[in-house]
């Protein structure tokens, strides 16, 4: 009683418990979150920030915070940036639910669109597009247009995301949105590209004409776009390719390796005639030539097969399946197999697509058969799909291995998996006739299994197999009839009864006894079993009426009063069919008709894959996974019959007047007066001549001033050459980063062929700009500077070699200076003051200095060789030249190329390639330039300026820049003259893809420690004792790769460093002399680009150990 009294007294003090019907479940606390509301009403930003953090935490945990909307929306105009960001995050979540309150803050959102903070602008646009009220559609449209023109890519990306929201709210704005999408498709920012394509797919997926101008740009940007943007772009480009390119497999269907088609052709009576007709038709077919843009699409997506995102790999796979030639689909197989090591959900989707693909192209997955073996940790749904793939891949050569694997699966404790395994064995038996008897005998052995479900599934499968050749398997039918008393699974019992009834003439003595036993248990059987008992009785009545007439009448009488109407209807139908009432003649006719109906020959069932027919849906789509067309699915269009016009993808570049090439040509001995005459002849009587000349001079002056700031160490030479340039109005040796390898007049020997008027040079520069605009990436297209052409005659090659050192701009260090007492640092721009001070007390080994002689100048040269910076190794190494075009193939034009180790100033990601053109013909060759380029895998090219004329027995050198994207792929392009075109290719040595990296020893060791494991290649070497000098080792390393020697505190350790030109990935080489007497050492190469690292390691190992 005391407990009850206490409880009552305590409860009486609580106001909420005064009502006896009130409980905790229905108690409403109106003061909930009151503390948060009070904090949001305070003037202190710190309290508001703390409250917003707690509210966002509630939202993140899935709790409902909508009751705080009025208190939060009041702070949308808060001046604190952090509070405003969190308020916008909250409003994005609840703006659609609280539309009326959100509308009150429209003006605040519009002000947020003009905020100086990019995150606020993007958040305001996102919240504004989340308010689903038709009345603000014009405001949303204006906000999107402002966001499209925003300087920040993140805001433009948000604007692209808002386009589908506006379209779903008001579809009448489609035309306005299409204009916005068309404008945004020209955005070259990788952050925006994927979002714009998503908007395109939602609003106007059928407007393929909008993609033409941006197709090549999207292909080049694809590698750098975010993962989900890559998926959208690949999906869109797949549909684009199906409408703009011809079917690459159109003429390969005759040679399809589908096993199901082979017997058809083998059994054809008119095989020879058909073969001859096929050969004639094949000869008449036009030869398929893949469109360069089609090839560009396939090459640009191939590298994405290594993506960590399974959806990206799946998107590339479906692209290759639907668009690429069948012979190239092998490229994506490894990527799909790699995904099988992922999570269960990923395995399920990938296996579904592989099961569908393997029905058509089983040969591509044949080498990876073991990847589809079932593991003990696989869930049931993954096991079933692996069984499906293994069955699809079964051929005469591998069926023995697959059946042995199936024998193991039958013993599994997973009953569902065992049932699917038995069905898979049956499919193998029907598809490969050579193993039908083997599979059948194995299934019969399963009839003695203790597990009833295994026996039942075996019976069902055997019933289907026996229909193929029942007369040869009479013993199996008798054996199965004995199991009728043991098996209780309805489907298995029904299958046995059907077999005995269908082939009752094969077992005439056994069938009546089976009917007798079945009739006794008729009332207790399942519906499917009752139907088969009725069928068995009817068939035996027609074949053996003397023994089974009474039993049949008994069965039909029981069925007449069964509770199931299907069984009653079947019994009535059978009774009137086999026991008609009427005259004897009519009865005989009915009896004959009944035999034709009930005892007609049934075709053997075809065991097909459940994935057959799914290829009508796009691989990797939701419709393919569900085997039904879902909302929003767009079927792939068919390939066009005739090739569409490829010129629609050509981008017309506006002609821009550029006088810089004329000035480059004017670096010959031409004077200022001759240049002015040339300009006047070009512009004729136009009034804008003086204005354009002044603009170009202002640009040149600004470029020279910027270069002065970067080259502080070479001011003396620059001042001297500035005086010369003031007299000749030609550019001096101080060149900006936008110039392309331009050298000073004293370093060039120009021939008479370059004395051309400036109007011709303007045309060539415009043509060069347009060709670059079509094929280069976003970074390359932004730079419009020209490449210089260095014209050298054969007689003056020696003079150029003597002056080649001037290209380093080392006049302050090498020319006429006193001897160096300390170890010199020959290249100024690559060593920081810190590194210089660190190197001041280091010795680079005496062997190198001794080997070069005793002079100070030779010591300086040797030290320069040890450092091996950008443009020279200092070891007087001669770069190897490679033939690009033979003089016979080029009809007198011979072209060689070599990789010069110098900085390519327009783009530091490019390597400089020097082309040497030699005219071995008796006639001059005109208009030498680069034509069409096959740029795949991120390759970017900066063309050299067109060579107007090349006289007989004359040679010309030109510099071009190539960004190989840190790959070993060749650059294929077209070399044009005025009359001919030649297809040539440049294969880069891996060592030339590296640029020197000046780094102190401590940072070298730190970088090396981070590149251990798979990024390291290590091996022991043995050299002769006289080759173990530092100079010999450095020279051999320089021959392999363009590296920089790292100063070392240990005399027996030699370190070299470099970075890949494209991604600046470190390449570190370490050679440790473990035994100087025996010439034993250890070589290690560290690089996160494993392909480049392993190739350079092998080359260094061969070079040092040779």
């Amino acid at each position: 009683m005391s407990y009850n009294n206490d409880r009552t007294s305590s409860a009486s003090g609580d106001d909420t418990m005064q009502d006896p019907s009130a409980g905790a479940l229905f108690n409403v606390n109106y003061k909930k979150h009151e503390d948060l509301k009070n904090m949001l009403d305070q003037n202190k930003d710190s309290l508001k920030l703390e409250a917003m953090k707690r509210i966002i935490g509630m939202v993140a945990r899935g709790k409902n915070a909508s009751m705080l909307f009025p208190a939060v929306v009041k702070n949308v105009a808060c001046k604190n940036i952090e509070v405003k960001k969190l308020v916008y995050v909250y409003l994005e979540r609840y703006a659609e639910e609280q539309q009326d309150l959100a509308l009150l803050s429209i003006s605040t959102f519009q002000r947020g669109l003009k905020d100086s903070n990019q995150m606020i602008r993007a958040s305001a646009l996102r919240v504004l597009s989340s308010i689903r009220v038709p009345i603000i559609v014009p405001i949303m449209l204006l906000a999107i247009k402002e966001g499209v023109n925003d300087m920040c890519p993140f805001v433009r990306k948000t604007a692209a995301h808002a386009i589908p929201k506006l379209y779903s709210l008001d579809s009448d704005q489609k035309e306005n949105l299409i204009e916005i999408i068309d404008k945004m498709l020209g955005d070259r920012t990788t952050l925006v590209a994927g979002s714009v394509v998503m908007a395109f797919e939602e609003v106007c997926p059928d407007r393929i004409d909008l993609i033409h101008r941006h197709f090549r740009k999207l292909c080049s940007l694809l590698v750098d776009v975010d993962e989900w943007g890559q998926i959208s772009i690949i999906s869109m480009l797949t549909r684009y390719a199906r409408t703009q390119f011809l079917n690459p497999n159109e003429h390969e269907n005759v040679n399809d390796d589908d096993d199901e088609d082979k017997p058809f052709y083998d059994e054809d009576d008119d095989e020879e005639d058909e073969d001859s007709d096929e050969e004639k038709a094949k000869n008449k077919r036009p030869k398929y030539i893949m469109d360069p843009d089609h090839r560009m699409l396939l090459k640009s997506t191939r590298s994405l097969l290594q993506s960590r995102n399974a959806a990206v790999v799946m998107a590339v796979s479906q692209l290759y399946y639907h668009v690429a030639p069948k012979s190239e689909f092998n490229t994506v197989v490894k990527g799909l197999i790699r995904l099988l090591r992922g999570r269960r959900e990923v395995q399920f989707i990938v296996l579904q697509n592989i099961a569908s693909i393997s029905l058509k192209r089983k040969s591509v997955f044949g080498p990876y058969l073991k990847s589809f073996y079932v593991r003990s940790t696989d869930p049931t749904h993954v096991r079933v799909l692996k069984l499906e793939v293994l069955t699809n891949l079964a051929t005469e050569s591998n069926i023995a291995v697959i059946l042995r694997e199936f024998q193991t699966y039958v013993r599994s404790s997973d009953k569902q998996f065992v049932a699917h395994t038995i069905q898979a064995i049956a499919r193998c038996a029907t598809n490969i006739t050579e193993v039908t008897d083997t599979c059948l005998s194995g299934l019969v052995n399963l009839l003695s299994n203790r597990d009833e479900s295994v026996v039942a599934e075996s019976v069902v499968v055997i019933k289907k197999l026996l229909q193929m050749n029942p007369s040869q398997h009479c013993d199996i039918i008798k054996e199965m009839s004995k199991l009728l008393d043991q098996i209780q699974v309805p489907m298995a019992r029904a299958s046995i009864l059907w077999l005995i009834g269908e082939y009752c003439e094969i077992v005439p003595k056994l069938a009546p006894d089976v009917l007798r036993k079945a009739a006794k248990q008729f009332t207790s059987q399942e519906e499917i079993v009752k139907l088969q008992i009725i069928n068995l009785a009817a068939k035996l009545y027609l074949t053996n009426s003397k023994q089974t007439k009474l039993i049949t009448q008994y069965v039909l009488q029981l069925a007449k009063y069964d509770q199931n109407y299907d069984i009653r209807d079947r019994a009535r139908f059978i009774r009137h069919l086999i026991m008609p009432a009427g005259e004897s003649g009519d009865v005989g006719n009915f009896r004959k008709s009944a035999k034709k109906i009930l005892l007609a020959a049934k075709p053997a069932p075809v065991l097909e894959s459940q994935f057959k027919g799914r290829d009508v849906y796009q691989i990797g789509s939701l419709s393919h996974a569900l085997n039904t067309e879902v909302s929003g699915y767009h079927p792939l269009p068919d390939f066009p019959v005739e090739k569409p016009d490829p010129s629609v993808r050509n981008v017309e570049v506006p002609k821009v007047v550029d006088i810089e090439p004329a000035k480059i040509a004017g670096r010959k001995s031409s004077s200022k007066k001759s240049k002015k005459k040339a300009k006047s002849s070009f512009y004729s009587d136009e009034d804008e001549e003086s204005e354009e000349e002044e603009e170009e001079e202002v640009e040149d002056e600004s470029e020279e001033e910027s270069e002065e700031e970067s080259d502080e160490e070479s001011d003396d030479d620059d001042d001297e050459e500035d005086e010369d340039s003031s007299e000749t109005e030609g550019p001096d040796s101080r060149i900006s980063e936008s110039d392309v390898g331009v050298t000073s007049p004293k370093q060039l020997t120009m021939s008479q062929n370059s004395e051309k008027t400036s109007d011709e040079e303007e045309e060539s520069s415009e043509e060069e700009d347009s060709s670059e605009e079509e094929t280069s990436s976003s970074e390359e297209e932004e730079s419009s500077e020209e490449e210089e052409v260095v014209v050298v005659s054969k007689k003056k090659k020696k003079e150029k070699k003597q002056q080649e050192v001037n290209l380093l701009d080392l006049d302050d260090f090498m020319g006429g200076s006193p001897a160096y007492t300390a170890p010199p640092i020959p290249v100024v721009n690559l060593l920081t003051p810190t590194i210089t001070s660190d190197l001041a007390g280091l010795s680079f080994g005496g062997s190198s200095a001794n080997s070069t002689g005793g002079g100070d100048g030779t010591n300086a040269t040797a030290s320069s060789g040890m450092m091996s910076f950008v443009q020279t190794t200092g070891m007087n190494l001669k770069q190897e030249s490679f033939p690009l075009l033979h003089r016979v193939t080029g009809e007198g034009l011979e072209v060689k190329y070599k990789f010069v180790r110098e900085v390519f100033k327009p783009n530091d990601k490019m390597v400089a390639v020097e082309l040497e053109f030699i005219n071995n013909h008796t006639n001059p060759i005109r208009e030498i330039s680069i034509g069409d380029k096959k740029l795949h895998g991120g390759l970017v090219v900066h063309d050299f300026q067109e060579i107007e004329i090349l006289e007989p027995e004359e040679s010309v050198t030109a510099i071009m820049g190539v960004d190989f994207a840190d790959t070993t792929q060749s650059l294929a392009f077209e070399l044009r003259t005025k009359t001919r075109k030649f297809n040539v290719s440049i294969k880069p040595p891996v060592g030339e893809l590296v640029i020197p990296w000046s780094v102190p020893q401590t940072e070298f060791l730190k970088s090396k420690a981070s590149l251990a494991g798979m990024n390291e290649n290590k091996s022991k070497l043995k050299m002769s004792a006289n080759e173990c000098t530092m100079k010999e080792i450095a020279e051999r390393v320089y021959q392999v790769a363009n590296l920089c020697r790292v100063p070392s505190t240990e005399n027996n350790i030699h370190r070299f460093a470099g970075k890949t030109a494209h991604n600046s990935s470190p390449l570190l080489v370490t050679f440790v002399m473990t035994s100087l007497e025996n010439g034993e050492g250890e070589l290690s190469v560290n690089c996160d680009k494993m392909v480049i690292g392993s190739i350079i390691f092998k080359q260094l190992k061969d070079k040092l150990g040779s």
Side-chain angles (χ1 to χ4, degrees):
M1 294 297 293
S2 62
Y3 173 77
N4 291 336
N5 292 336
D6 294 340
R7 184 179 181 186
T8 304
S9 62
S10 64
S12 61
D14 191 356
D15 296 338
T16 60
M17 297 300 292
Q18 289 179 357
D19 186 0
S21 64
L25 192 61
F26 301 100
N27 183 22
V28 179
N29 185 3
Y30 293 100
K31 295 184 179 181
K32 189 177 183 180
H33 304 312
E34 192 67 26
D35 57 336
L36 293 175
K37 295 179 182 178
N38 293 332
M39 293 172 68
L40 290 172
D41 291 337
Q42 299 294 326
N43 294 327
K44 292 184 179 180
D45 291 341
S46 60
L47 293 176
K48 292 182 179 181
L49 183 61
E50 180 64 25
M52 286 307 305
K53 287 181 178 179
R54 290 170 58 184
I55 294 172
I56 297 301
M58 291 170 55
V59 176
R61 291 192 298 269
K63 295 183 178 181
N64 184 16
S66 59
M67 72 288 296
L68 295 169
F69 193 90
V72 173
V73 77
K74 289 188 299 184
N75 292 279
V76 72
C78 181
K79 295 182 179 180
N80 188 287
I81 298 298
E82 297 300 325
V83 175
K84 185 177 285 189
K85 287 181 182 179
L86 295 179
V87 170
Y88 277 121
V89 171
Y90 176 87
L91 294 178
E92 291 168 19
R93 170 65 179 80
Y94 292 105
E96 190 169 353
E97 298 179 10
Q98 305 282 345
Q99 295 180 358
D100 295 336
L101 292 175
L103 284 174
L104 299 177
S105 304
I106 288 293
S107 59
T108 306
F109 299 148
Q110 289 179 296
R111 287 197 300 270
L113 294 173
K114 299 180 181 179
D115 195 277
S116 59
N117 190 306
Q118 59 186 16
M119 298 298 296
I120 300 299
R121 297 198 303 273
S123 299
L125 180 56
R126 190 179 295 112
V127 174
L128 194 61
S129 62
S130 300
I131 303 176
R132 315 287 294 168
V133 180
I135 196 174
I136 66 167
V137 166
I139 299 177
M140 291 176 59
L141 185 60
L142 290 175
I144 291 174
K145 289 182 177 179
E146 289 182 9
V148 168
N149 297 321
D150 197 280
M151 295 296 293
C152 176
F154 183 72
V155 180
R156 300 200 298 272
K157 180 185 181 73
T158 306
H161 288 166
I163 292 175
K165 297 180 183 180
L166 179 57
Y167 177 71
S168 63
L169 185 61
D170 185 7
S171 58
D172 295 336
Q173 301 291 333
K174 183 175 181 178
E175 294 301 324
N176 293 329
L177 295 178
I178 290 177
E179 294 179 4
I180 297 175
I181 292 173
D182 188 21
K183 180 179 180 180
M184 293 193 72
L185 283 172
D187 199 314
R188 303 185 182 279
T189 309
T190 56
L191 187 66
V192 183
S195 302
V196 177
V197 172
M198 284 184 189
F200 172 84
E201 289 284 88
E202 290 289 334
V203 178
C204 52
D206 54 336
R207 288 291 304 273
I208 299 296
D209 57 296
L210 300 179
I211 306 297
H212 292 321
R213 294 181 291 111
H214 312 290
F215 173 81
R216 294 168 183 167
K217 183 201 70 175
L218 289 174
C219 290
S220 61
L221 294 181
L222 190 57
V223 180
D224 299 321
V225 178
D226 62 279
E227 295 172 341
W228 301 113
Q230 290 173 347
I231 298 170
S232 300
I233 295 176
I234 292 174
S235 177
M236 184 272 295
L237 292 179
T238 303
R239 295 175 52 254
Y240 180 87
R242 295 275 291 199
T243 60
Q244 300 299 316
F245 304 131
L246 295 178
N247 185 3
N249 303 312
E250 183 178 3
H251 303 311
E252 296 181 8
N253 294 334
V254 177
N255 300 325
D256 195 359
D257 58 350
D258 193 353
D259 293 339
E260 296 179 0
D261 293 339
K262 288 182 178 179
F264 175 81
Y265 291 109
D266 293 340
E267 296 173 2
D268 197 348
D269 298 335
D270 300 329
E271 180 179 0
E272 296 180 358
D273 296 337
E274 288 192 356
D275 289 342
S276 60
D277 294 340
E278 289 176 3
E279 291 178 359
K280 293 179 181 178
K282 188 174 181 180
N283 294 332
K284 292 181 180 179
R285 293 193 197 106
K287 184 179 179 181
Y288 173 74
I289 300 176
M290 181 174 287
D291 190 284
D293 290 328
H294 192 175
R295 174 60 61 191
M296 179 183 184
L297 172 61
L298 297 178
K299 284 290 185 67
S300 61
T301 55
R302 181 178 299 174
S303 59
L304 298 181
L305 290 171
Q306 301 177 2
S307 174
R308 62 182 178 180
N309 192 313
V312 176
V313 179
M314 199 65 246
V316 178
S317 302
Q318 64 86 21
L319 171 70
Y320 269 76
Y321 180 77
H322 292 295
V323 175
K326 290 182 179 179
S327 58
E328 297 186 16
F329 186 74
N330 296 331
T331 308
V332 306
V333 174
K334 288 185 178 180
L336 291 174
I337 298 299
R338 177 173 61 87
L339 297 182
L340 296 180
R341 305 168 189 165
R343 300 187 303 273
R344 295 178 176 182
E345 299 82 2
V346 175
Q347 291 184 43
F348 179 76
I349 296 299
V350 173
L351 284 171
Q352 273 194 329
N353 291 281
I354 291 178
S356 183
I357 296 172
S358 59
L359 287 172
K360 296 288 186 180
R361 306 176 184 180
K362 63 174 62 178
S363 59
V364 295
F365 293 102
Y368 308 97
L369 193 66
K370 292 184 179 180
S371 300
F372 303 104
Y373 286 174
V374 175
R375 298 181 182 142
S376 58
T377 56
D378 289 337
T380 303
H381 60 275
V382 173
R383 294 183 178 189
V384 172
L385 286 174
K386 286 188 174 181
L387 279 176
E388 187 73 28
V389 175
L390 287 174
T391 308
N392 294 342
L393 299 181
T395 59
E396 296 178 4
S397 58
N398 61 17
I399 186 61
V401 179
I402 293 177
L403 288 180
R404 280 199 300 270
E405 192 72 14
F406 286 170
Q407 288 177 357
T408 307
Y409 300 161
V410 171
R411 304 188 188 97
S412 174
S413 58
D414 189 347
K415 305 306 175 187
Q416 183 182 357
F417 175 53
V418 172
H420 282 89
T421 302
I422 295 173
Q423 295 174 10
I425 294 174
R427 278 188 56 198
C428 292
T430 55
N431 295 337
I432 305 174
T433 55
E434 288 79 0
V435 296
T436 302
D437 295 337
T438 305
C439 294
L440 195 56
S441 61
L443 292 172
V444 171
N445 292 333
L446 292 178
L447 296 177
S448 58
N449 196 290
R450 296 179 180 179
D451 193 343
E452 184 180 349
S453 61
V454 175
V455 176
E457 192 66 36
S458 301
V459 168
V460 175
V461 169
I462 290 173
K463 169 237 176 183
K464 297 177 181 179
L465 293 178
L466 287 179
Q467 290 183 250
M468 300 174 64
N469 197 353
S471 59
Q472 296 182 0
H473 305 290
C474 177
D475 296 337
I476 297 178
I477 298 176
K478 293 179 181 179
E479 187 69 25
M480 293 177 65
S481 64
K482 298 177 183 179
L483 298 174
L484 194 60
D485 296 334
Q486 304 174 8
I487 299 176
Q488 300 300 325
V489 179
M491 179 58 73
R493 292 178 63 84
S495 298
I496 295 175
L497 291 172
W498 185 90
L499 271 177
I500 295 174
E502 184 69 19
Y503 306 112
C504 57
E505 297 178 352
I506 299 177
V507 285
K509 297 181 180 180
L510 189 64
D513 193 46
V514 172
L515 179 60
R516 178 181 59 83
K517 290 183 178 181
K520 289 181 180 181
Q521 304 173 352
F522 182 85
T523 55
S524 61
Q525 298 297 322
E526 296 289 337
E527 296 172 4
I528 188 173
V529 180
K530 290 179 180 179
L531 291 174
Q532 292 304 326
I533 292 175
I534 295 174
N535 289 340
L536 174 62
K539 293 175 182 178
L540 290 178
Y541 178 81
L542 294 175
T543 56
N544 190 3
S545 59
K546 293 181 180 181
Q547 290 182 319
T548 59
K549 181 177 181 180
L550 296 176
I551 301 177
T552 302
Q553 291 176 349
Y554 174 73
V555 170
L556 293 177
Q557 195 68 16
L558 290 175
K560 181 179 180 181
Y561 299 101
D562 195 89
Q563 294 181 356
N564 189 283
Y565 60 85
D566 286 335
I567 296 175
R568 295 197 303 268
D569 292 345
R570 177 67 65 87
R572 248 191 317 268
F573 168 74
I574 292 296
R575 179 185 293 275
H576 290 289
L577 183 63
I578 64 176
M579 300 177 183
E583 299 180 359
S584 59
D586 295 337
V587 172
N589 292 333
F590 265 95
R591 194 178 184 86
K592 292 179 181 179
S593 300
K595 281 189 176 182
K596 292 180 180 179
I597 294 172
L598 296 177
L599 298 177
K602 279 82 172 176
V606 180
L607 302 178
E608 295 180 342
S609 171
Q610 60 177 329
F611 289 90
K612 187 173 183 179
R614 286 200 188 188
D615 54 349
V616 296
Y617 302 109
Q618 186 173 355
I619 295 295
S621 63
L622 180 60
S623 297
H624 178 271
L626 301 178
N627 198 21
T628 183
E629 186 171 331
V630 298
S631 177
Y633 173 75
H634 300 289
L636 281 177
D638 295 328
F639 283 102
V641 179
E642 297 182 358
K643 184 178 180 180
D645 184 15
S647 63
V648 294
R649 290 182 290 277
N650 296 336
V651 180
E652 294 183 2
V653 183
K655 295 184 178 181
V656 180
V657 177
D658 190 5
I659 309 180
E660 193 67 25
K663 290 190 175 185
I664 294 176
R667 296 190 179 208
K668 305 162 219 173
S669 58
S670 61
S671 63
K672 181 176 179 181
K673 294 181 180 181
S674 62
K675 284 187 64 178
K676 287 188 175 181
K677 289 181 180 180
K679 290 181 181 178
S680 62
S681 63
F682 174 77
Y683 290 102
S684 66
D685 297 331
E686 293 183 5
D687 298 333
E688 300 177 356
E689 173 189 357
S690 60
E691 296 177 2
E692 293 179 355
E693 290 179 0
E694 290 176 0
E695 290 177 2
E696 289 296 324
E697 291 175 359
V698 170
E699 291 178 1
D700 291 343
E701 291 175 2
S702 62
E703 290 175 358
E704 291 173 357
E705 290 175 2
S706 63
E707 184 63 24
E708 278 184 59
E709 296 176 0
S710 62
D711 285 335
E712 296 177 355
E713 300 296 336
S714 57
D715 286 338
D716 296 338
D717 293 343
D718 294 340
D719 294 336
E720 293 175 3
E721 294 177 3
D722 279 339
E723 297 175 359
D724 298 336
S725 65
S726 63
E727 297 177 359
T728 61
E729 204 180 72
D732 55 16
S733 63
R734 294 179 302 154
I735 49 178
S736 66
E737 295 179 356
S738 61
D739 291 334
V740 186
V742 179
T743 55
S744 60
K746 65 181 180 179
Q747 298 163 0
L748 306 177
T749 306
M750 309 301 292
S751 68
Q752 297 178 357
N753 302 327
S754 25
E755 296 290 333
K756 295 294 175 183
T757 60
S758 61
D759 57 337
E760 294 177 349
E761 292 167 337
E762 287 285 339
E763 294 175 358
S764 64
S765 65
E766 291 169 1
E767 293 174 358
E768 183 179 351
D769 285 344
S770 62
S771 63
E772 290 175 3
E773 185 73 22
E774 294 175 2
T775 57
S776 61
S777 64
S778 58
E779 294 179 354
E780 179 65 19
E781 290 168 345
E782 291 175 358
S783 64
S784 61
E785 288 78 18
E786 298 296 325
E787 174 76 35
E788 74 154 339
V789 180
V790 184
V791 184
V792 184
S793 61
K794 284 188 175 180
K795 297 180 180 180
K796 299 185 178 181
K797 285 185 179 179
K798 295 182 180 179
E799 181 179 353
K800 182 193 172 186
K801 291 181 179 179
Q802 294 174 359
Q803 297 181 355
E804 192 173 7
V805 69
N806 293 337
L807 294 173
L808 289 172
D809 292 335
L810 298 181
D811 295 339
D812 294 342
F813 298 90
M814 305 299 293
S817 59
Y820 292 95
T821 56
I825 314 297
V827 179
V828 175
N829 292 334
L830 295 179
L831 289 181
T832 63
T834 305
I835 302 176
T836 306
S837 61
D838 292 340
L839 300 182
L842 296 181
S843 173
F844 296 105
S847 59
S848 176
N850 296 336
S851 62
T852 57
D856 295 333
T858 55
N859 283 335
T861 306
S863 299
S864 174
M866 298 169 198
M867 300 307 294
S868 177
F869 283 117
V870 177
Q871 296 178 339
T872 181
T873 62
M875 306 295 290
N876 297 326
L877 295 177
K878 182 179 180 180
Q879 297 299 325
E880 182 180 1
S881 295
F882 304 92
L884 183 66
L885 181 65
H886 195 269
R887 60 184 181 181
V888 177
T889 309
E891 298 180 357
L893 176 62
E894 181 182 1
V895 185
K896 300 178 182 178
Y897 73 94
K898 64 180 179 181
F899 291 80
V900 290
R901 297 179 175 180
E902 59 187 42
V903 177
F904 192 74
K905 294 188 176 181
N907 192 337
D908 56 359
K909 292 185 178 182
M910 293 185 175
V911 295
V913 183
E914 182 184 275
L915 303 179
E916 182 182 5
F917 301 86
I918 304 173
N919 187 359
N920 297 304
H921 203 274
T922 55
N923 298 324
I925 301 175
R926 301 179 183 273
E927 299 178 7
I928 304 175
S929 63
I930 292 181
D932 297 334
K933 299 180 283 289
K934 298 179 181 179
L935 303 179
H936 311 299
L939 286 181
V940 181
V941 179
H942 192 100
D943 298 353
F944 61 86
Q945 186 180 353
E946 179 180 328
I947 301 175
E948 295 293 334
I949 187 170
L950 183 63
E951 295 293 341
E953 301 301 322
E954 191 177 53
S955 65
V956 174
T957 59
I959 303 292
M960 65 183 295
V962 185
D963 182 2
F964 289 96
D966 292 349
T967 61
T968 58
Q969 56 185 337
S970 301
L971 168 65
F973 60 97
E974 195 175 71
L975 195 62
R976 293 182 178 178
T977 63
K978 187 175 182 179
T979 57
R980 289 296 308 275
K981 299 178 181 178
F982 308 98
N983 292 322
V984 295
S985 63
I986 294 178
K987 178 70 174 178
V990 180
E992 302 301 331
L993 302 179
V994 184
I995 58 176
W997 181 29
S998 176
V999 60
Q1001 179 177 328
T1002 54
E1003 187 175 348
F1004 180 96
L1005 297 176
K1006 184 177 179 181
S1007 299
K1008 183 178 179 181
S1010 65
L1011 295 174
M1014 296 182 63
N1015 296 321
E1016 184 175 35
N1017 297 278
K1018 185 180 294 186
S1019 176
K1020 293 183 178 180
L1021 296 176
K1022 190 170 183 180
M1023 305 172 62
S1024 59
N1026 57 348
E1027 294 176 347
C1028 296
T1029 62
M1030 183 266 295
K1031 178 183 177 181
E1032 185 69 20
I1033 293 173
E1035 183 175 2
R1036 296 192 180 189
V1037 171
Y1038 297 149
Q1039 291 175 358
V1040 173
N1042 186 16
L1043 300 175
C1044 168
R1045 188 175 187 275
V1046 178
S1048 174
T1049 55
E1050 299 97 336
N1051 291 331
N1052 65 325
I1053 299 179
H1054 309 283
R1055 299 183 177 94
F1056 303 86
K1059 286 188 176 182
T1060 58
H1062 182 77
N1063 289 327
S1064 298
S1065 300
L1067 174 69
L1068 310 176
V1069 177
T1070 307
F1071 184 74
V1072 182
M1073 288 299 304
T1074 56
S1075 176
L1076 185 61
E1077 298 177 356
N1078 300 328
E1080 295 177 354
E1082 186 177 80
L1083 173 68
S1084 64
V1085 177
N1086 301 74
C1087 184
D1088 59 353
K1089 298 287 184 181
M1090 289 185 285
V1091 176
I1092 294 178
S1094 59
I1095 294 177
I1096 290 182
F1097 171 77
K1098 186 178 182 302
Q1099 294 177 354
L1100 285 174
K1101 184 179 177 181
D1102 296 337
K1103 180 67 69 173
L1104 294 173
S1106 60

